[in-house]
Amino acid sequence: MPKSRDVQAQRELLSNATWQVLAEDGLPGLTLRAVAERAGCTTGLVLHAFPTKKALLLHARDLLYERTAIRADAAEAASAGAFDALAAVLGQAVDLPHGHHEESRVWVGFLAAALADNALAERHRAANRSFLARIRRLVAACRPKWTDERLELTTKSLVALVEGLNVLAAADPQTYPARVQQAALAAALAELEAPPA
């Protein structure tokens, strides 16, 4: 029986290989064989950890969520106050200067695949709702006197902005370079930071 640390090491190896395949070849290129080749192992080892391509795909979607959640946690923790935290979390969610081009392309691929796959759609909704809850909490900390309706509209508008920038920049980075993304996000945040009317 393999030791638990060996199983964890194999899973990490396969997770990294899965991510590399997705980043370079997209969802159509994600096959058990491609992951095995990238990991330098047999397809049997991949099948042991992920018995089907669907299991591999769901794992990869979870991996994307984990990576972005860890980065959002770090951005929030390093911030001085509510406005700084909101700007930092939203800023890391778009490509901006962070170099998350691969994640943006992978995210768009998962979004497209979710339209025809209930399990992926559920994963997408869960991740999106978690992000919405985080942003709503931060917006409420910035504007504690706002009504629930205004908090919800502002939250969804900010999330739609960063997710829209991700989609557009993934397909057309020349039209939506980092400076355009930064300016769009800064404009949205300036409205929120303005003194209440």
Side-chain angles (χ1 to χ4, degrees), residues 52-181:
T52 64
K53 180 179 176 179
K54 178 77 172 260
L56 183 63
L57 194 58
L58 291 174
H59 169 72
R61 179 61 183 97
D62 292 343
L63 183 62
L64 176 61
Y65 173 72
E66 289 167 17
R67 288 174 67 143
T68 55
I70 288 168
R71 207 170 50 245
D73 288 344
E76 188 174 345
S79 299
F83 282 109
D84 286 345
L86 181 62
V89 170
L90 289 170
Q92 64 76 41
V94 293
D95 218 348
L96 298 181
H98 304 293
H100 304 308
H101 300 289
E102 292 176 350
E103 283 184 9
S104 295
R105 285 194 301 272
V106 171
W107 185 88
V108 169
F110 275 119
L111 180 60
L115 298 176
D117 186 305
N118 288 336
L120 278 176
E122 185 53 40
R123 292 285 213 295
H124 175 77
R125 284 190 292 269
N128 180 256
R129 289 171 185 164
S130 176
F131 187 55
L132 281 167
R134 181 192 297 266
I135 298 304
R136 183 184 174 108
R137 176 176 49 77
L138 292 172
V139 171
C142 294
R143 292 287 176 232
K145 294 183 180 179
W146 279 6
T147 64
D148 285 343
E149 183 179 358
R150 189 165 183 191
L151 287 172
E152 182 177 358
L153 178 61
T154 300
T155 297
K156 289 181 178 174
S157 296
L158 289 169
V159 170
L161 173 66
V162 297
E163 301 295 18
L165 288 169
N166 271 330
V167 171
L168 294 168
D172 187 0
Q174 288 183 322
T175 302
Y176 296 93
R179 66 177 172 72
V180 169
Q181 295 178 59

